[in-house]
Amino acid sequence: MQQGRHWRTTRIEVDAAAITSNVARLRAVAGVEVCAVVKADGYGHGAVTAARAALAGGAAWLAVALVEEGEALRDAGIDAPILLLSEPPVAAAEAAVAARLTPMVYRPEVVDVLDRLGRDRGAPVAVHLKVDTGMRRVGATVAQWPALVARAAAADGVIVEGVATHLARADEPDEAGRAATVDQLDVFDTAVAEARRVGLAPRLLHTANTAGTLLHPRARHTLVRPGIGVYGLSPSWEVPAADHGLRPALRLVTEVAFVKHVPASTPVSYGHRWRAPSDGWLATIPVGYADGLPRAVSSRVEVLHAGRRRPLVGTVTMDQSMVWCAGEAPRVGDEVVLLGDQGGERIRVEEWAAAADTITYEVVTQLTARLPRLGAPGPR
Ligand SMILES: *Cc1c(COP(=O)(O)O)cnc(C)c1O
């Protein structure tokens, strides 16, 4: 939880119990151990909160993108195994090992660096080797793989605990998406066979993100790596999180800061791009694009006020936005929910993603550090 004072009324509330239940659900669906991905500050939810909640839900592993993210979890006293999803920068290799992070490795040069470190400290460094089976981001190509596994097999200072890859189209349940995923899993099987042929004995095989975990039994292997589903959010339009028993954990809440009554046709905010459709009430809320409310959703999403959906109107500004309350007078201090539930209604992250022409991942990771992250209050 955020330390220190915060005066502002705008805040993120994270329901840790939802994260715990989502991880338990993903684990039950997968039937194998779960590595909960908490990179990018737990997809905007707060990495330490997310990590603790995921472990409570039965996650055996956590995963981060950066050495710094792994160190922050260790500093918070988290002891679980932590996978580093990419190679550390060579200058950070020692720090990564000191923080007991398990790096994914895909270059022989990095095997050598870790091998030296392992031999110097007299205890081999556990790594997971990553093969590129079709994502074309990081991972040894099929052509580079034999040299990588041979190098790892010869390195006494390194122990290959896992072999992994990442799926590019697991979130597309149609024919083309399925075919691409099957192709990747076939390439993965061949790569694992090659690793075993040179004497490696990886205990953990993992390929599945959230969509892979939910839709592709063959991708589950011995460990799955869900991220977005841990937070109850949909990996794609075709894979709605709610259909899989996952529930959102995040609320973005504020309070009405100013109210006024305006005549019909009153133009509102920068550019006067929106006009009041009738006489009525406007509420100003202290949240804007510097908090991660995308300017692209201007006049395209709704908020909850008094348990009802009301349109967010006019151009979103840096720190503030306007809500159209029509005939019902709002009051300064009224709760306004931008994401999450109020009085049985719910605004979903998916709505913002659609309105801003992006994905749930981008919406939540753009919620800025200016927003305090708080635990969820008791039942509302
Ligand atoms: C981010 C990430 C994941 C999690 O993906 P989701 O789609 O959020 O479930 C898994 N593996 C790797 C390598 C990643 O980068």
Side-chain angles (χ1 to χ4, degrees), residues 64 66-77 82 92 95-96 98-99 101:
V64 295
L66 307 179
V67 174
E68 290 87 339
E69 293 174 341
E71 288 177 330
L73 296 179
R74 293 292 183 232
D75 287 347
I82 299 176
L101 309 183

Side-chain angles (χ1 to χ4, degrees), residues 37 39 43 85 130 137 166 209-210 225-228 361:
V37 180
K39 61 190 176 186
Y43 289 53
L85 293 167
K130 186 164 193 184
R137 187 171 61 177
H166 192 55
N209 53 8
T210 298
R225 301 187 310 265
I228 200 81
Y361 302 74

Side-chain angles (χ1 to χ4, degrees), residues 148-182:
L148 181 71
V149 293
R151 190 83 68 102
D156 293 335
V158 158
I159 178 149
V160 176
E161 182 187 35
V163 172
T165 194
H166 192 55
L167 302 172
R169 300 183 68 174
D171 59 345
E172 298 172 63
D174 65 358
E175 196 73 35
R178 287 193 172 274
T181 300
V182 166

